Amino acid sequence: MSLSPDTVRTDRAAPAAARPVPPPERMGARRWCILAVLCAAQFMAALDFSIVSVALPTIGDDLGFELSHLQWVITAFALPSGGFLLLFARAGDLYGRRRWFLVGLSLFTVTSLAGGLAQEPLPLLAARVGQGLATAMIVPTGMALITTSFPEGPLRNKALGINGALLSLGFTAGVILGGVITESLNWRWTMFINVPFGIVAVLVTLLLVAESHNAGKGTLDVPGAVTVSGGLLAVIHGVTTADRSGWTDPVVLVSLAAGVALLVAFVRIESRSASPLVPLHVLTRRTVGWGNFAGLVTFSMITSVVFLMTMYMHQVMAYDPLRIGLCFASLGGAMLVAGPLVPRLVRVWGPGATLAAGLLVQTAGTLMLLLLGTGGGPALLLVGTGIAGWGHMMAVVSYTIAATSGLSDALQGAAGGLATTAQLVGLTIGTPVIGAIATGRIASLEAASVSAAEATVSGVHLGIAAVAVVLVVGVLTTALLLRGPQAAPVPATAAQDA
């Protein structure tokens, strides 16, 4: 019996149609362990950014800091952690991400122990510089190890969602734990708690995490590293100094001008470098550039809200450090719950729409705080900060996904470095800028014989209004510039891999 041509075609097509579809990849126990150690390391690094902030008066009394110098306990950490991120991200690409991650973990552990044992101001500041350098190694290499350990798609989005939740939660948890530890134990334990974790993290990383680096031979872009690190250091120094000395102080103006000049020089150097620190085609990619701008907005404004609410609770509600820390539990809880859920929204809405929605929710929660008055309002404070925290986490997860999607593994170090730079620079610059607006209003009203409580409420309201304006700018730029599907993946050429 002969077969018709149609029958032949049908028979030939049958095996392909019947071929079983491979099941979706699952996390598995090994991947969960890898994710746990990578996320926990970044959580602890973020935690140390803020954990000593509540303990600053106690540290000053114990070690004999002058009041005007106490801020350096924060700044000594912020400068290197924000200034050297891109340098260590690129070093991880070239010489091994796991290697630099381990170096960072080891340095973080040793300097945490040294900080806890410090008996004078200078050793503590040196330890904080070491912690900042370690953070600049841990955060970008940890994020790059996540993106190279999990394939792009649902698994990576889930991993980035958990990582984003813990990284952002680290800052808030630092405020809470700083108050609890200082009140119940001693400020030194804000440093000592890192030591056992660091030892365990090093051992788990050695056992489970595979090395990852770019193929081919590349060279470190020294001129680019010097200019971007110097530029970020100068800008961060200028902004943090302005918080104490005012924006017209010559040191502030020189620092900011030098920072801008160095960053402009960095862009020119990268456009001509054969092995750039950050390839310009990555920096100018829509999802990377505007995604990271939104990340800078959400991080800088959430830390500003934490500062404003801390000032409000201290000056108006007369809360002690422990109660102030506990009042941020709703903010941290909302972020912790939202983090793992946001990737589901990203699958439905896409990263751009989820990011815009997150910034909008963060704006709504922030605006609720304008209802706070001189009589106090813990319930309103908890609800407002909780809503802001939920929106913030929507923005954090979706911007991280947007800023690292569609790029080859060879470019993940650069993308991760840019994403974490936006985070840490945002953590650093938001409070000084918004704080200057609020404290300026408070000082002018107190000079006019307005009561301290009324002046504080007015200053806090002005700061909240400024935060809302910045967030609305973030909503509009995201909605307009990150619409539509993600751009096509960018393949890494040999030059880009180098």
Side-chain angles (χ1 to χ4, degrees), residues 96-165:
R97 298 175 182 115
R98 188 185 80 149
R99 180 177 301 161
W100 279 101
F101 185 74
L102 287 168
V103 171
L105 282 175
S106 302
L107 179 61
F108 191 72
T109 304
V110 171
T111 52
S112 295
L113 179 62
L117 295 174
Q119 300 298 320
E120 295 180 356
L122 283 180
L124 176 61
L125 293 178
R128 291 289 286 172
V129 170
Q131 286 181 314
L133 281 172
T135 297
M137 300 176 195
I138 291 170
V139 176
T141 54
M143 182 174 288
L145 285 169
I146 289 174
T147 54
T148 55
S149 298
F150 296 86
E152 185 168 344
L155 276 188
R156 183 185 291 180
N157 290 354
K158 184 175 185 178
L160 289 174
I162 295 171
N163 182 67

Side-chain angles (χ1 to χ4, degrees), residues 184-199:
S184 59
L185 295 171
N186 184 285
W187 70 266
R188 296 182 185 277
W189 284 96
T190 62
M191 304 281 181
F192 288 149
I193 61 171
N194 298 323
V195 177
F197 160 77
I199 294 171

Side-chain angles (χ1 to χ4, degrees), residues 46-47 50 167-177 302 306 325 328-329 331-333 335 392:
L47 185 80
S50 61
L167 188 62
S168 190
L169 183 63
F171 175 82
T172 307
V175 177
I176 299 170
L177 287 177
I302 200 69
V306 170
F328 287 115
L331 174 65
M335 291 193 293
H392 168 66

Side-chain angles (χ1 to χ4, degrees), residues 58 218 289 309 346 376:
T58 307
M309 291 302 98
V346 173

